[in-house]
Amino acid sequence: MRVNNKPILTTQHYTADPADTAFVFIEFQNEFTSPGGKLYDAVKDTIAKYGTIENAQKVMNGARDAGCTIIHVPIAFESGHREINGEYGILANVKAGEAFTASTWNADFCDEMKPQESDLVVKGKTGLCGFHSTNLDFMLRQNSIKNVVLSGFLTNCCVESTMRTAYENGYKVYTLMDCCAGTSVAGQEAAFEHTFGMFSIPTSSGEIMDSIKIPVV
Amino acid sequence: MRVNNKPILTTQHYTADPADTAFVFIEFQNEFTSPGGKLYDAVKDTIAKYGTIENAQKVMNGARDAGCTIIHVPIAFESGHREINGEYGILANVKAGEAFTASTWNADFCDEMKPQESDLVVKGKTGLCGFHSTNLDFMLRQNSIKNVVLSGFLTNCCVESTMRTAYENGYKVYTLMDCCAGTSVAGQEAAFEHTFGMFSIPTSSGEIMDSIKIPVV
Amino acid sequence: MRVNNKPILTTQHYTADPADTAFVFIEFQNEFTSPGGKLYDAVKDTIAKYGTIENAQKVMNGARDAGCTIIHVPIAFESGHREINGEYGILANVKAGEAFTASTWNADFCDEMKPQESDLVVKGKTGLCGFHSTNLDFMLRQNSIKNVVLSGFLTNCCVESTMRTAYENGYKVYTLMDCCAGTSVAGQEAAFEHTFGMFSIPTSSGEIMDSIKIPVV
Amino acid sequence: MRVNNKPILTTQHYTADPADTAFVFIEFQNEFTSPGGKLYDAVKDTIAKYGTIENAQKVMNGARDAGCTIIHVPIAFESGHREINGEYGILANVKAGEAFTASTWNADFCDEMKPQESDLVVKGKTGLCGFHSTNLDFMLRQNSIKNVVLSGFLTNCCVESTMRTAYENGYKVYTLMDCCAGTSVAGQEAAFEHTFGMFSIPTSSGEIMDSIKIPVV
């Protein structure tokens, strides 16, 4: 039935054409991913347990090779963090800790997850949801994307907010538990157990990689 | 310092003027709240454990008397549920179960939580987040609201999505655990333990009621 | 190339499948359209010059017959107009004039443009843009709509704001000059001359009707 | 009545505190403002007629000195313009002309309007409306801004879309005709005559400058 020889994405739930599928990688930045990052100690246990970085890298490269759109969603604040008031909640911690300051090593993508020239990099993220203060939805629409595969940091904060809005925006949303990390294994597992299935199809790096195959035409 | 004798809202964290404070009640509709509602069985245990309905009613009446803005956020679908495609996720269940059909008893507010003439009723909610497909943000801004106090159904679905967006939209957000209910006590407790503190000041009906006092001027 | 015998939409610019095409009719309500409406006198000259009502009715019926999605976007305010503060700008006039009060004849759809059971009716519009405070975008995405054909009132107010956001949201937008009306012929013509071409493909009821044909399969 | 000695903003319509007032400068980038810019020829006549650049510079410096928040809203695309599909409308021209390519002189702010360290610079603008794909609303909310004073390019495109959304978002919006420019004097005058008064208080650089005074305390 397919008229070209591009690989397709198939899970037990769905078959998608790479032409309308985007893999969205949220905040694979040194502040989270690398020893020396201010939040590394908070997330290193879930990274270690799930193999977050290696799995995400494998998925990113495989999806790019298959012709999917690769999108990176970094968070960054200008020195002084004047974009946020720091009054309460998680953004207060971000401001107090001067985390993710633009143009520093801390805000850089980690070595394993550097954008390639064919990737898109979202701009404007100064909140939690990957859509709210950014051009993510705009670029997804301009590029006729229907399927969004999510991974990154923090599982129950930015990844979850992005998942919830992606579902609300009408995309077919997949979430990759073993490509995410949070501040506790219990929090990550609670998120996948209680909420991720309401707004996405939770799956794994292995299942997604298996689904990217060259179809018979 | 205050120049009028209106009551104020004070918690350990904050003092707010009722003039810019809204209490937002999410989906206190028979489908959830009342025996015979299609989702009542799913939530009756958490309702019973927390006293969700009585607490919410007490808070609603007290906040209204104190001069706060009371906002109701119902969800409803026209017969046929053509507003949603029912492809996957929680909205697929809503469509398959024909839940919250407009102009039926199921979609009506429960007796304890009927809107009064001075209240505002949000329109358009056909998704999960109370902001996404509605005039909630529009009315909050037109009415110069800064503080948003959230309660309702489901704790980790519509209430949580609304909380996340309210935080992103710059409101000071309070969440009332004992005025919420979900499909499991474990899910509700996981939500408050792992995520609500990132996007709101979790508090309770008692603390909020204590905070609504006539100030010395 | 087409695999079914549904009619298609073709203009000099584009061919669209009715399955992903919505005709969006903005505020065909008595307040604007009918003698006795508070704003009828303001728009009757442009209605008369362009034949707005007859043309829109013809397009609505033709598009519905062709299998396109028909969407009505009414504006309405509860008695007291507490949804808006009336501080300045056009909403101040709406509030001062108590226009479009819900559940009155004034807010009703005019006889020529009553919704049919298969149509969708947008909820929540209490501002100008058809998207901003409503479930329009939500329903368009849930229904996999790609092409949006706009008409209604006022040309350079609600229709134009809706067009601008529709373009920003990535839809293919068409505007039907002879199915719109505004408070002055000069304003309507200035809008089409200077701005509509930036955000839409301006066309006419005749061209759209001609484009809805049964294709050879 | 005022408790500090900060200057205030007063026009015939309004008095605002600089603490909650932002001046938003849209696309004062070489592509528009400077000989050699790809769009300079299209706008140079309106720039010359209104004195757009000098007026905007004067207002920017005066507003900054008065303690208002200064916000710059540039547009920029990565090489290849993959953020946009270029299918139709004004973004098709932007893509075809490779306008506003990031990290080139063309996308730089012009000499007269360089951001100072205390200013905020919006990120993500790859569409027309200054809010749609950016962190503008997010930063305005985080900084408790109520009043938004708009100027820049193009009068009836990005400035007008930004004005429309700012109004919808509940800000008190001012527009400065003599700090804007478009592709024709007729288009600029039509915009101010027919639409700007619906969504803003149109005023001028002179009136705004007069309104920024040190108040008697």
Side-chain angles (χ1 to χ4, degrees):
Chain A
M1 191 127 50
R2 288 172 53 83
V3 295
N4 61 40
N5 63 355
K6 284 191 300 181
I8 57 171
L9 171 70
T10 310
T11 74
Q12 61 184 104
H13 304 282
Y14 202 59
T15 299
D17 192 315
D20 47 35
T21 300
F23 282 69
V24 175
F25 297 94
I26 300 172
E27 297 170 32
F28 283 87
Q29 296 163 271
N30 291 317
E31 203 78 290
F32 276 135
T33 58
S34 308
K38 289 172 183 170
L39 299 163
Y40 175 71
D41 282 346
V43 295
K44 68 182 177 189
D45 288 351
T46 43
I47 289 179
K49 178 177 165 89
Y50 294 104
T52 306
I53 313 287
E54 309 88 271
N55 290 332
Q57 185 180 26
K58 207 180 309 171
V59 166
M60 178 182 71
N61 290 335
R64 190 189 289 118
D65 290 346
C68 298
T69 298
I70 305 299
I71 303 184
H72 304 266
V73 186
I75 188 170
F77 302 89
E78 296 302 317
S79 180
H81 284 63
R82 290 187 48 230
E83 298 92 340
I84 49 177
N85 60 39
E87 196 181 0
Y88 76 108
I90 191 167
L91 290 174
N93 299 340
V94 169
K95 185 162 185 159
E98 299 177 16
F100 298 103
T101 300
S103 308
T104 66
W105 171 85
N106 304 58
D108 270 1
F109 294 106
C110 64
D111 288 342
E112 294 86 348
M113 298 293 288
K114 296 281 188 212
Q116 300 299 302
E117 184 152 351
S118 63
D119 300 352
L120 294 168
V121 179
V122 164
K123 293 190 175 64
K125 189 171 188 295
T126 40
L128 292 323
C129 174
F131 287 94
H132 188 80
S133 60
T134 78
N135 60 350
L136 174 56
D137 192 61
F138 182 86
M139 292 200 300
L140 291 173
R141 291 289 152 185
Q142 289 286 321
N143 286 276
S144 300
I145 299 297
K146 294 179 185 166
N147 310 292
V148 170
V149 188
L150 297 175
S151 62
F153 300 83
L154 300 171
T155 311
N156 64 349
C157 184
C158 296
V159 177
E160 182 166 344
S161 285
T162 305
M163 168 190 75
R164 287 171 180 259
T165 302
Y167 183 74
E168 211 86 46
N169 282 359
Y171 299 103
K172 185 93 177 209
V173 186
Y174 295 83
T175 43
L176 305 179
M177 191 181 186
D178 63 350
C179 301
C180 291
T183 56
S184 77
V185 169
Q188 174 138 336
E189 291 180 350
F192 271 86
E193 179 182 349
H194 296 298
T195 74
F196 274 44
M198 292 192 284
F199 306 97
S200 73
I201 298 165
T203 179
S204 66
S205 62
E207 193 182 25
I208 281 283
M209 292 305 290
D210 284 348
S211 78
I212 300 177
K213 298 174 198 133
I214 306 294
V216 179
V217 287
Chain B
M1 190 127 50
R2 286 173 55 84
V3 294
N4 61 41
N5 62 355
K6 285 190 299 181
I8 56 171
L9 171 70
T10 311
T11 73
Q12 61 184 104
H13 304 283
Y14 202 57
T15 298
D17 193 316
D20 47 36
T21 300
F23 282 69
V24 175
F25 297 95
I26 299 172
E27 297 169 33
F28 283 87
Q29 297 163 271
N30 290 318
E31 202 78 289
F32 277 135
T33 59
S34 309
K38 288 172 182 169
L39 298 162
Y40 175 72
D41 282 346
V43 296
K44 68 183 179 190
D45 289 350
T46 43
I47 290 179
K49 179 176 164 91
Y50 294 104
T52 306
I53 313 287
E54 311 88 90
N55 290 333
Q57 186 181 25
K58 207 180 307 172
V59 165
M60 177 183 71
N61 290 334
R64 190 189 289 117
D65 291 346
C68 299
T69 298
I70 306 298
I71 303 184
H72 303 266
V73 185
I75 187 169
F77 303 89
E78 296 303 316
S79 180
H81 284 63
R82 292 187 48 231
E83 299 92 341
I84 49 178
N85 60 39
E87 196 182 359
Y88 78 107
I90 191 166
L91 290 174
N93 298 340
V94 169
K95 184 162 186 160
E98 299 177 15
F100 299 102
T101 301
S103 309
T104 68
W105 171 86
N106 304 58
D108 270 1
F109 295 105
C110 65
D111 288 342
E112 295 85 348
M113 299 292 289
K114 296 280 187 213
Q116 301 299 303
E117 185 153 350
S118 63
D119 300 352
L120 295 169
V121 179
V122 164
K123 293 189 175 64
K125 187 171 190 295
T126 39
L128 292 322
C129 174
F131 287 95
H132 188 80
S133 61
T134 79
N135 61 349
L136 175 56
D137 192 61
F138 182 86
M139 293 201 298
L140 291 173
R141 297 191 184 200
Q142 287 286 319
N143 285 277
S144 301
I145 299 298
K146 293 178 186 165
N147 310 292
V148 170
V149 188
L150 296 175
S151 62
F153 299 83
L154 299 171
T155 310
N156 64 347
C157 183
C158 295
V159 177
E160 182 166 345
S161 285
T162 305
M163 169 189 76
R164 286 171 181 260
T165 303
Y167 183 75
E168 210 87 45
N169 282 358
Y171 298 103
K172 185 94 177 210
V173 186
Y174 295 83
T175 44
L176 305 180
M177 190 180 185
D178 64 350
C179 300
C180 291
T183 56
S184 78
V185 169
Q188 174 138 337
E189 292 180 348
F192 271 86
E193 179 182 349
H194 296 298
T195 73
F196 274 45
M198 291 192 283
F199 306 97
S200 74
I201 298 166
T203 178
S204 66
S205 63
E207 193 182 23
I208 281 283
M209 293 304 290
D210 285 348
S211 78
I212 300 177
K213 296 177 199 132
I214 307 294
V216 180
V217 287
Chain C
M1 192 128 51
R2 288 172 53 84
V3 294
N4 61 42
N5 63 355
K6 285 191 298 181
I8 55 170
L9 171 70
T10 312
T11 73
Q12 61 184 103
H13 304 284
Y14 202 58
T15 299
D17 192 314
D20 47 35
T21 301
F23 282 70
V24 175
F25 297 94
I26 299 172
E27 297 169 33
F28 283 87
Q29 297 163 271
N30 290 318
E31 203 77 290
F32 277 135
T33 58
S34 308
K38 289 172 182 169
L39 298 162
Y40 175 71
D41 282 346
V43 296
K44 69 182 177 189
D45 288 351
T46 42
I47 288 178
K49 179 176 165 90
Y50 295 104
T52 306
I53 314 286
E54 309 88 89
N55 290 333
Q57 185 180 24
K58 207 180 307 172
V59 166
M60 178 182 71
N61 291 334
R64 190 189 291 118
D65 291 346
C68 298
T69 298
I70 306 297
I71 303 184
H72 304 266
V73 186
I75 187 170
F77 303 87
E78 296 302 316
S79 179
H81 283 63
R82 292 187 47 230
E83 298 92 341
I84 49 178
N85 60 38
E87 196 181 358
Y88 77 107
I90 192 167
L91 290 175
N93 299 340
V94 169
K95 184 162 186 159
E98 299 176 15
F100 299 103
T101 301
S103 309
T104 67
W105 171 86
N106 304 58
D108 269 0
F109 295 105
C110 65
D111 288 343
E112 294 86 348
M113 299 291 290
K114 296 281 188 211
Q116 300 300 302
E117 185 152 352
S118 64
D119 300 351
L120 294 169
V121 179
V122 164
K123 293 189 174 64
K125 188 171 189 295
T126 39
L128 292 322
C129 175
F131 288 94
H132 188 80
S133 61
T134 79
N135 60 349
L136 175 55
D137 192 60
F138 181 86
M139 292 201 298
L140 291 174
R141 296 190 185 200
Q142 287 287 320
N143 285 278
S144 301
I145 299 298
K146 294 179 186 165
N147 310 291
V148 170
V149 187
L150 297 175
S151 62
F153 301 82
L154 300 170
T155 311
N156 64 346
C157 184
C158 296
V159 177
E160 182 166 345
S161 285
T162 306
M163 169 190 76
R164 286 170 180 260
T165 302
Y167 183 75
E168 211 86 45
N169 282 358
Y171 298 104
K172 185 95 178 209
V173 187
Y174 295 83
T175 45
L176 305 180
M177 191 182 186
D178 64 350
C179 300
C180 291
T183 56
S184 78
V185 169
Q188 173 137 338
E189 291 180 349
F192 271 86
E193 180 181 349
H194 296 298
T195 74
F196 274 45
M198 291 193 283
F199 305 97
S200 73
I201 298 165
T203 178
S204 66
S205 63
E207 192 182 25
I208 282 283
M209 293 305 290
D210 284 349
S211 77
I212 300 176
K213 297 174 198 134
I214 307 294
V216 179
V217 287
Chain D
M1 192 126 50
R2 288 173 55 84
V3 294
N4 61 41
N5 63 355
K6 283 191 300 182
I8 57 171
L9 170 70
T10 311
T11 73
Q12 60 184 103
H13 303 283
Y14 201 58
T15 299
D17 192 315
D20 47 36
T21 300
F23 282 69
V24 175
F25 297 95
I26 299 172
E27 296 169 33
F28 283 87
Q29 296 164 271
N30 290 319
E31 202 78 288
F32 277 136
T33 58
S34 309
K38 288 172 183 169
L39 298 162
Y40 175 71
D41 282 346
V43 295
K44 68 182 179 190
D45 289 350
T46 43
I47 289 178
K49 179 177 163 89
Y50 294 103
T52 306
I53 314 287
E54 309 89 89
N55 290 333
Q57 185 180 25
K58 207 180 306 171
V59 165
M60 178 182 73
N61 290 334
R64 190 189 290 118
D65 291 346
C68 298
T69 298
I70 305 298
I71 303 184
H72 304 266
V73 186
I75 188 170
F77 302 89
E78 297 301 317
S79 180
H81 284 62
R82 291 187 48 230
E83 299 92 341
I84 50 178
N85 60 38
E87 196 182 358
Y88 76 108
I90 191 167
L91 291 175
N93 298 340
V94 168
K95 185 162 185 158
E98 299 177 16
F100 299 102
T101 301
S103 309
T104 66
W105 171 85
N106 304 59
D108 270 1
F109 294 105
C110 65
D111 288 342
E112 295 86 350
M113 299 292 289
K114 295 280 188 213
Q116 301 298 303
E117 185 153 350
S118 64
D119 300 352
L120 294 169
V121 179
V122 164
K123 292 188 176 64
K125 189 171 189 294
T126 39
L128 293 322
C129 174
F131 288 95
H132 188 80
S133 61
T134 78
N135 61 350
L136 175 56
D137 192 62
F138 182 86
M139 293 201 299
L140 292 173
R141 291 288 152 185
Q142 288 286 321
N143 286 278
S144 300
I145 299 298
K146 293 178 185 165
N147 310 291
V148 170
V149 187
L150 297 176
S151 62
F153 299 83
L154 299 171
T155 310
N156 64 349
C157 184
C158 296
V159 177
E160 182 166 344
S161 285
T162 306
M163 169 190 76
R164 286 170 179 260
T165 302
Y167 183 75
E168 211 86 45
N169 282 359
Y171 299 103
K172 185 94 176 209
V173 185
Y174 295 84
T175 43
L176 305 180
M177 190 181 186
D178 64 350
C179 301
C180 291
T183 56
S184 78
V185 169
Q188 174 137 337
E189 291 180 349
F192 271 86
E193 180 181 349
H194 296 297
T195 74
F196 273 45
M198 292 193 283
F199 306 97
S200 74
I201 298 166
T203 178
S204 66
S205 63
E207 192 181 24
I208 281 283
M209 292 306 290
D210 284 349
S211 79
I212 299 177
K213 296 174 198 134
I214 307 294
V216 180
V217 287

